[in-house]
Amino acid sequence: MKCPVCGTVYRPLKGSGESLSVSTASSSPSCRRCKADLSDLFRLHDQAVWYHKQALHLLTQGSYSEATEYNNRALALYYSNADFHALAGKLSALQGEFREAISSWQQALKFDPQNAIACHCLQAIELMAKSD
Ligand SMILES: [Zn+2]
């Protein structure tokens, strides 16, 4: 996610309760560089993550089309999150939409070239294509 004012890029911190590497010492989160108020942006981000978590939960229940719906809402709020695209790809693949799956995973790798799910799934599909 980017500060809309000065363009500083913030990445979600992995594996910690704090979602972003922005100073939250003050009551509302603000940009480290330009001090713009980022609380609306954070709310959108939190909402997107919530939709994504719902999608993951629905996926484990086998409700793929509902999971896709929730994940699409997450993507609508926060398009540059590689994990959302990776999940979109997985959901497409589970529903037999391999062309869409591949384009979602490629999108995920565009935003995060190290994205493990997207890398792994694309390699698996390439192997499948070769063995045909
Ligand atoms: Zn800024």
Side-chain angles (χ1 to χ4, degrees), residues 20-75:
L20 288 156
S21 55
V22 183
S23 154
T24 46
S26 54
S27 57
S28 67
S30 56
C31 177
R32 271 179 308 196
R33 199 154 103 193
C34 69
K35 310 287 181 215
D37 182 2
L38 299 179
S39 49
D40 279 347
L41 204 64
F42 275 41
R43 258 198 297 279
L44 284 180
H45 174 261
D46 287 349
Q47 207 178 353
V49 169
W50 184 84
Y51 280 134
H52 179 68
K53 282 184 181 156
Q54 297 299 307
L56 284 172
H57 176 71
L58 288 162
L59 171 67
T60 62
Q61 312 260 301
S63 311
Y64 301 144
S65 61
E66 284 166 60
T68 304
E69 216 172 280
Y70 273 95
N71 197 55
N72 284 343
R73 286 184 204 174
L75 278 169

Side-chain angles (χ1 to χ4, degrees), residues 79 82 84-111 115 117-130 132:
Y79 191 74
F84 297 177
H85 288 282
L87 180 62
K90 202 167 163 184
L91 285 164
S92 296
L94 284 164
Q95 293 171 98
E97 306 280 351
F98 286 101
R99 207 171 301 182
E100 281 183 35
I102 289 170
S103 75
S104 291
W105 289 326
Q106 283 169 342
Q107 198 71 27
L109 290 178
K110 225 183 272 176
F111 292 118
N115 188 277
I117 298 169
C119 273
H120 178 82
C121 292
L122 275 176
Q123 276 168 6
I125 277 201
E126 272 168 28
L127 284 177
M128 262 163 57
K130 272 176 201 158
D132 257 4

